[in-house]
Amino acid sequence: MASSVAMNSVGAQAGLVSKPRNRNFTSCNGLKATSSISFESRSSFLGHNASLRSSAIPRIVPKAKAGSYISPEASYKVAVLGAAGGIGQPLSLLIKMSPLVSALHLYDIANVKGVAADLSHCNTPSKVLDFTGPSELADCLKGVDVVVIPAGVPRKPGMTRDDLFNINAGIVKTLVEAVADNCPEAFIHIISNPVNSTVPIAAEVLKQKGVYNPKKLFGVTTLDVVRANTFVAQKKNLKLVDVDVPVVGGHAGITILPLLSKTRPSVTFTNEETEELTKRIQNAGTEVVEAKAGAGSATLSMAYAAARFVESSLRALAGDPDVYECTFVQSELTELPFFASRVKLGKNGVESIISADLEGVTEYEAKALEALKPELKASIEKGIEFVHKQQASATSA
């Protein structure tokens, strides 16, 4: 495992827009500690940048019940497994800036001490601890509320997500086994690709350990939403803070399906625009890999998107009733066992899966939805089969 990890070093009801109430509690706004925080526009690691902050909060959500609020004592422990890697380092920095984090545990097989030392100098409240190698993994995970797993090898030019499978599958299996043993109640965020397979791998491992809770296992597909929002805003000259595009399906190639007809604010696309935007969103990862010309993959945008999902999870844990994100989870929305869609997050994980996004889609989207299913089904089955084969090998050994 060690050598493998080192390669990367390691919606809601239509038309309802909520206006979050001001909630005052001690926080860290941007890089400067402040006495209060408002979820209106200025909280969390996104600081004063209103456009970034707004992009982190889906705006098409039901109104919250009056009187609901986040506890001022809200404070959580987050572990990043693969914290010294290309995604792990910027992701850890962004999580360090969250006012909802009290402790940040950084794990990798090498080079994590320097990352932790560096981050510990940031004047934000969370305490940073480093853990190196398998012998320290259990200590890293004890008492943790959210586990984020970006560990694995990155994509390189010419590689598909399936090319990553054999290496990353083993890494995710090993790490999730440790999660099951040490913090089985934690939210688990899977970033390691191919997500369409690694999430089912995680689910099977947790089932074998007897601690599987489908409401707390998430494939992080937030980057697809971030890209969709960005590209649509650019194409249509829209104010980015107002744009929200649900993205369903999976997290690779044609399994990524942006539902452009469900874009908020409502906007019209020509057939050509729909096809162009859909293909760009689906191939955006390759766009970055090729632009970096062998020097890496989409690490920074992935870190941003993953940090957004972490922040959403923390807000849900803290009692915010208006938290919606698209994510790859166990689902009955289609005949597939796992499917990415918008979900409502709460203290116990997924509270509900928003089915409305798949109602009244265009003919193009309906055909694309059917077209993605065979590939997504195969990827899911590949992940499940991997764990079963590993189990069979261990039994016969």
Side-chain angles (χ1 to χ4, degrees):
M1 170 197 163
S3 60
S4 297
V5 179
M7 294 176 71
N8 186 34
S9 185
V10 192
Q13 302 301 316
L16 295 178
V17 180
S18 71
K19 293 186 177 180
R21 297 150 302 288
N22 289 341
R23 296 141 179 163
N24 293 327
F25 57 100
T26 301
S27 71
C28 181
N29 194 344
L31 292 177
K32 181 180 179 182
T34 61
S35 60
S36 66
I37 186 168
S38 166
F39 278 117
E40 188 72 36
S41 64
R42 292 180 179 268
S43 66
S44 88
F45 64 87
L46 297 171
H48 295 279
N49 190 317
S51 64
L52 288 179
R53 177 58 196 165
S54 296
S55 76
I57 305 177
R59 301 168 67 84
I60 314 301
V61 296
K63 292 181 179 178
K65 295 178 181 179
S68 56
Y69 64 97
I70 286 182
S71 166
E73 290 82 27
S75 190
Y76 301 95
K77 293 182 180 180
V78 178
V80 179
L81 309 185
I87 295 170
Q89 289 196 42
L91 171 58
S92 298
L93 171 62
L94 293 172
I95 295 173
K96 178 73 169 79
M97 296 171 70
S98 171
L100 295 175
V101 178
S102 61
L104 180 57
H105 292 187
L106 306 183
Y107 171 83
D108 215 315
I109 61 155
N111 305 319
V112 73
K113 287 187 181 296
V115 176
D118 199 355
L119 285 180
S120 70
H121 294 180
C122 299
N123 63 326
T124 61
S126 55
K127 182 177 180 180
V128 181
L129 297 175
D130 63 272
F131 303 85
T132 301
S135 64
E136 297 184 6
L137 181 54
D139 288 338
C140 171
L141 293 170
K142 286 173 183 173
V144 165
D145 301 293
V146 177
V147 179
V148 192
I149 306 180
V153 298
R155 288 180 71 194
K156 296 177 182 177
M159 289 180 71
T160 66
R161 282 183 168 83
D162 275 345
D163 293 330
L164 304 177
F165 180 83
N166 288 330
I167 297 173
N168 287 357
I171 294 171
V172 170
K173 179 179 179 292
T174 300
L175 294 176
V176 173
E177 285 173 344
V179 172
D181 291 337
N182 295 284
C183 55
E185 295 299 318
F187 283 22
I188 305 172
H189 296 187
I190 305 292
I191 297 172
S192 307
N193 278 317
V195 165
N196 293 351
S197 298
T198 54
V199 170
I201 286 171
E204 291 303 305
V205 169
L206 295 167
K207 287 175 186 177
Q208 289 180 1
K209 292 281 189 176
V211 294
Y212 179 50
N213 183 345
K215 296 181 178 180
K216 293 186 176 183
L217 175 63
F218 309 92
V220 181
T221 61
T222 319
L223 181 53
D224 300 323
V225 178
V226 167
R227 286 167 167 162
N229 291 349
T230 301
F231 300 163
V232 167
Q234 291 171 346
K235 171 65 78 173
K236 288 298 186 178
N237 250 352
L238 298 174
K239 194 175 180 182
L240 186 55
V241 297
D242 296 327
V243 178
D244 183 37
V245 183
V247 182
V248 302
H251 186 56
I254 66 164
T255 70
I256 300 168
L257 178 56
L259 297 177
L260 297 173
S261 67
K262 302 291 183 175
T263 298
R264 298 289 175 178
S266 182
V267 60
T268 302
F269 299 94
T270 65
N271 292 339
E272 292 75 17
E273 286 174 332
T274 297
E275 186 166 359
E276 176 193 341
L277 282 166
T278 299
K279 288 185 175 179
R280 187 181 179 200
I281 293 162
Q282 290 174 338
N283 297 317
T286 301
E287 182 180 311
V288 175
V289 169
E290 291 176 349
K292 290 191 174 182
S297 57
T299 53
L300 300 177
S301 54
M302 183 65 246
Y304 167 83
R308 159 178 159 166
F309 194 75
V310 169
E311 187 76 356
S312 291
S313 293
L314 295 175
R315 287 170 46 225
L317 283 168
D320 189 332
D322 291 338
V323 184
Y324 291 77
E325 287 283 2
C326 289
T327 177
F328 187 64
V329 294
Q330 180 175 309
S331 172
E332 296 180 355
L333 205 53
T334 70
E335 64 272 23
L336 300 174
F338 294 88
F339 194 78
S341 65
R342 197 196 308 266
V343 305
K344 184 179 189 295
L345 298 175
K347 291 183 177 181
N348 296 311
V350 176
E351 286 193 352
S352 61
I353 292 176
I354 310 305
S355 60
D357 287 337
L358 288 183
E359 298 171 2
V361 297
T362 65
E363 181 181 357
Y364 177 91
E365 291 165 346
K367 287 181 178 178
L369 177 60
E370 292 308 310
L372 71 81
K373 288 179 180 178
E375 181 173 324
L376 182 53
K377 181 175 184 287
S379 296
I380 292 169
E381 290 175 347
K382 187 174 183 179
I384 294 172
E385 184 182 355
F386 172 82
V387 178
H388 291 174
K389 282 184 176 179
Q390 294 280 313
Q391 185 181 30
S393 298
T395 303
S396 62

